[in-house]
Amino acid sequence: MSGGVVLSQRGGDFVLECGQDVAIGYSGHDRGAVNLYLEESYSFRVLEPDAVIALRCNGDS
């Protein structure tokens, strides 16, 4: 898929909501270190659908 979007910058059209769930994960270790990571959920909600315009290249459906 190719193309893009145009977003309004006027304010009040979108909301970023950070979740309350946080998880710690293990990705590996060696002799000197243990590698951990954090994950948190979030969502980007559109309050005003007219504030987004999808751009498609010719030939995309």
Side-chain angles (χ1 to χ4, degrees):
M1 185 169 120
S2 60
V5 294
V6 177
L7 300 174
S8 166
Q9 295 182 348
R10 67 181 166 210
D13 294 323
F14 310 99
V15 175
L16 176 64
E17 295 179 341
C18 295
Q20 293 182 356
D21 58 325
V22 175
I24 188 167
Y26 167 81
S27 62
H29 70 278
D30 60 23
R31 291 176 67 91
V34 174
N35 300 311
L36 304 174
Y37 61 90
L38 292 174
E39 291 183 351
E40 182 180 6
S41 67
Y42 64 90
S43 65
F44 185 66
R45 233 177 0 126
V46 178
L47 301 177
E48 180 55 54
D50 292 336
V52 180
I53 299 171
L55 304 175
R56 295 190 176 137
C57 293
N58 290 337
D60 290 349
S61 54

